[in-house]
Amino acid sequence: MTEGRSRRPGPRIEEVARVAGVSKSTVSRVINGEKYVSERSRQAVHRAIAMLGYSPNHAARTLAGSRANAIALVISELGSRVLADPFFAGVLRGVHAELAGRHVQLLMMMNQPLDGEDQVSYLTGGHVDGALVVSLHGEDPLPRTLHETGLPIVVGGRPLAGGAVPFVDSDNFNGALQAVRLLVSLGRQKIATIAGPHDMAVGMDRLSGWRCGLAEHGMSVALVVHSDFTPESGALAMEELLRRAPDLDAVFVAADIMALGALRVLQARGYRIPDDVAVVGFDDSVLASTAVPPLTTVRQDVEQFGRTLTWRLLAELAGDEKLPQSILLPTSLVRRTSA
Amino acid sequence: MTEGRSRRPGPRIEEVARVAGVSKSTVSRVINGEKYVSERSRQAVHRAIAMLGYSPNHAARTLAGSRANAIALVISELGSRVLADPFFAGVLRGVHAELAGRHVQLLMMMNQPLDGEDQVSYLTGGHVDGALVVSLHGEDPLPRTLHETGLPIVVGGRPLAGGAVPFVDSDNFNGALQAVRLLVSLGRQKIATIAGPHDMAVGMDRLSGWRCGLAEHGMSVALVVHSDFTPESGALAMEELLRRAPDLDAVFVAADIMALGALRVLQARGYRIPDDVAVVGFDDSVLASTAVPPLTTVRQDVEQFGRTLTWRLLAELAGDEKLPQSILLPTSLVRRTSA
């Protein structure tokens, strides 16, 4: 990467100091994340860095005379949720598999009670050569902020904030569309959905696919409840749907982990699955095949997702300039008993 | 910490270079983890560093003119196991709680297909101010190696390799002893154990407690099967115990997560719990209270364990010189239905 970069040199620390109206050593202190800098100077330096597209990461690396030989996997979720959801275990397996034999240290960073600026200053302080960022919520500025400092990053899942940040995503829209088409072909008339969070592209894209599948058959798109990718929230959402439509005959659940909660509620109320209510999940995680009854679901290859993220980042670090900006991975229906 | 250290300055890079018989820049290259150094020079530098007790971490920090404001949580397990075991989620919650408001970035590092030297060179390369190391196996040299470079570390769980490395542990021996005393007081005659791994202190200490509890009543300590802290291995171990002693009337299982597998096997064979076989677990994780029947177990406060580890490291980083070398946290019986 050093080679790739030296061909198109960026602005230098002197320019940042001049634009910010501070000394070079103040710029250096801000970049190194020291606390003994006035808030005013710190903000001026950050503005200058953003304006000039300066890469403190590159500078710090040059200073140290070596690369960090490490990349970060930043997961924008609380640790407790990360460790309970098999999605992240799958992504991690993929990242580790792609790193095998490369002598690159992986650092996992999850949400903790500290502000985003601490995370940014660590990531851009020369401690990592690049970052994978997954599970973003809302218009989180993190990927754009990192990208603007020149740190190579790849986002897992389309970032809602848009911009020119490279990302890898599963084809969530088409997966959901296929699920609804299956339910329609089975003669289901009243198809509800337990959608993912409002503030994540993965939630919105799966919801769009469900809507489109119903709309193409002139069916109602009224039965939607949003949820947050935990079994408990899936159960609550199912209860809400049954209150609104006790005669629903199918539900598309935007994640297997929420479908477990939904199955529990349906069975407790005496609905037979799939006879009374057909259920389709999403992910094809281990939870789907061990569910009772085994879950018909949309398969996304989570390990491949992790591998592709990592491959895209390492290729950029190796100086490859012909990389696709973003990559969409296919999804496919897996038929089991629940639909 | 910088202050605390400057009062007792360590050897300098010149001395390392002299002892190793190489140039200062070669020492620097080895410390920075660069690959373009001969194997012979690299080994000579590592030997000199170990011999002199030199701290490249300190040197690198001085070079960069600042602390990293980050600590590592190193878990010596494959990522897939870490993400499936609620023990690690609890430790992580504790670490995050203790770091709240401190502006210290936490980096999680799990086993990945790369050799331990890469991990050591990252950890001692000035990228972190200290490290927590948990779930060690066998006589893993990692904690001693890190300690010898001068990097402040605290080990979670007594390290089998011994040495002067500070650690925090739960009182596993006494917890197991209390469990066996309960089973004896309930009149159980044939008390087996599913022990943890041979190569971890946590496994050996719980086994010792079980042995001691039986020995003090003159009872047999023959019924032992080792296992590896997964539900599957717990089930296999229970099958093996039943082959050897179909009339056993109690089993102490060295972790709740293994007890789940054991319960499944006992119930499938028609044993009533606790009438035919009493079961006691260890950990009091969420798995214990939701098990069927709810599990009598030994409580260790995993979140407190994570907090104490972190507190001990941060206190050392703040220059506190009157810290206890190691800390043992109490354990206690929690009675539910299974015994």
Side-chain angles (χ1 to χ4, degrees), chain A residues 34 65 83 103 108 118 122 127, chain B residues 65 83 103 108 118 122 127:
Chain A
E34 289 184 32
L83 275 73
H103 298 284
M108 257 176 88
D118 292 325
Y122 190 83
H127 302 297
Chain B
L83 275 74
H103 298 284
M108 258 176 87
D118 292 325
Y122 189 83
H127 302 297

Side-chain angles (χ1 to χ4, degrees), chain A:
Chain A
M1 187 178 60
T2 309
E3 276 177 37
R5 282 176 174 275
S6 62
R7 270 179 258 138
R8 34 180 172 124
R12 295 165 59 217
I13 195 164
E14 288 81 358
E15 293 176 63
V16 176
R18 189 174 46 74
V19 170
V22 301
S23 70
K24 259 174 60 183
S25 67
T26 298
V27 174
S28 169
R29 269 200 285 276
V30 171
I31 289 169
N32 285 324
E34 289 184 32
K35 304 289 160 202
Y36 318 106
V37 178
S38 78
E39 186 60 24
R40 178 191 292 249
S41 300
R42 212 171 47 73
Q43 288 189 1
V45 170
H46 279 298
R47 267 196 306 272
I49 284 173
M51 196 195 307
L52 294 166
Y54 174 70
S55 164
N57 176 57
H58 180 52
R61 219 183 298 125
T62 306
L63 200 74
S66 76
R67 293 172 63 163
N69 294 318
I71 64 170
L73 170 60
V74 181
I75 304 181
S76 294
E77 301 281 352
L78 285 177
S80 48
R81 186 168 120 50
V82 172
L83 275 73
D85 188 336
F87 172 79
F88 298 107
V91 171
L92 187 63
R93 265 198 309 279
V95 174
H96 276 169
E98 192 66 23
L99 287 178
R102 286 181 185 265
H103 298 284
V104 173
Q105 179 66 53
L106 183 72
L107 310 170
M108 257 176 88
M109 297 166 61
M110 290 169 286
N111 283 6
Q112 66 185 87
L114 91 175
D115 62 60
E117 256 179 34
D118 292 325
Q119 209 173 43
V120 169
S121 63
Y122 190 83
L123 288 168
T124 57
H127 302 297
V128 298
D129 302 319
L132 309 173
V133 181
V134 305
S135 221
L136 287 170
H137 289 263
E139 302 204 352
D140 191 329
L142 180 68
R144 190 181 287 192
T145 306
L146 293 175
H147 192 63
E148 283 173 356
T149 68
L151 184 76
I153 72 163
V154 184
V155 176
R158 182 170 64 83
L160 288 177
V165 183
F167 68 85
V168 173
D169 204 354
S170 292
D171 190 350
N172 292 305
F173 175 87
N174 264 299
L177 181 63
Q178 299 308 319
V180 175
R181 284 181 179 163
L182 169 70
L183 291 169
V184 171
S185 77
L186 294 172
R188 302 294 160 150
Q189 303 285 331
K190 205 156 186 173
I191 303 173
T193 189
I194 297 177
H198 286 287
D199 67 347
M200 298 181 79
V202 56
M204 293 174 60
D205 292 349
R206 291 176 191 176
L207 179 60
S208 296
W210 172 83
R211 273 215 195 90
C212 186
L214 292 179
E216 69 185 4
H217 292 90
M219 295 165 78
S220 159
V221 295
L223 286 174
V224 182
V225 176
H226 283 275
S227 184
D228 72 357
F229 291 147
T230 63
E232 299 71 32
S233 72
L236 289 175
M238 194 68 239
E239 280 169 6
E240 168 68 17
L241 285 173
L242 290 174
R243 252 193 306 277
R244 282 161 55 183
D247 60 336
L248 59 81
D249 59 7
V251 57
F252 165 62
V253 190
D256 294 342
I257 195 167
M258 298 194 293
L260 292 194
L263 283 177
R264 204 167 61 221
V265 168
L266 286 166
Q267 287 163 337
R269 303 288 177 84
Y271 290 90
R272 291 166 304 159
I273 297 165
D275 308 51
D276 299 326
V277 178
V279 178
V280 181
F282 206 112
D283 285 339
D284 197 26
S285 69
V286 286
L287 304 172
S289 49
T290 57
V292 183
L295 204 59
T296 291
T297 189
V298 180
R299 176 167 170 73
Q300 68 166 332
D301 189 333
V302 176
E303 197 166 326
Q304 185 60 51
F305 182 83
R307 288 191 77 125
T308 306
L309 271 172
T310 312
W311 166 81
R312 174 68 178 69
L313 181 63
L314 294 177
E316 185 174 338
L317 289 172
D320 189 336
E321 292 177 349
K322 289 182 186 164
L323 291 169
Q325 168 72 6
S326 294
I327 299 169
L328 208 57
L329 299 171
T331 51
S332 58
L333 264 180
V334 178
R335 301 249 345 227
R336 295 202 182 88
T337 316
S338 72

Side-chain angles (χ1 to χ4, degrees), chain A residues 83 92, chain B residues 75-89 108 110-111 135:
Chain A
L83 275 73
L92 187 63
Chain B
I75 304 181
S76 293
E77 301 281 351
L78 285 177
S80 49
R81 187 168 121 49
V82 172
L83 275 74
D85 188 336
F87 173 79
F88 298 106
M108 258 176 87
M110 290 170 285
N111 282 5
S135 221

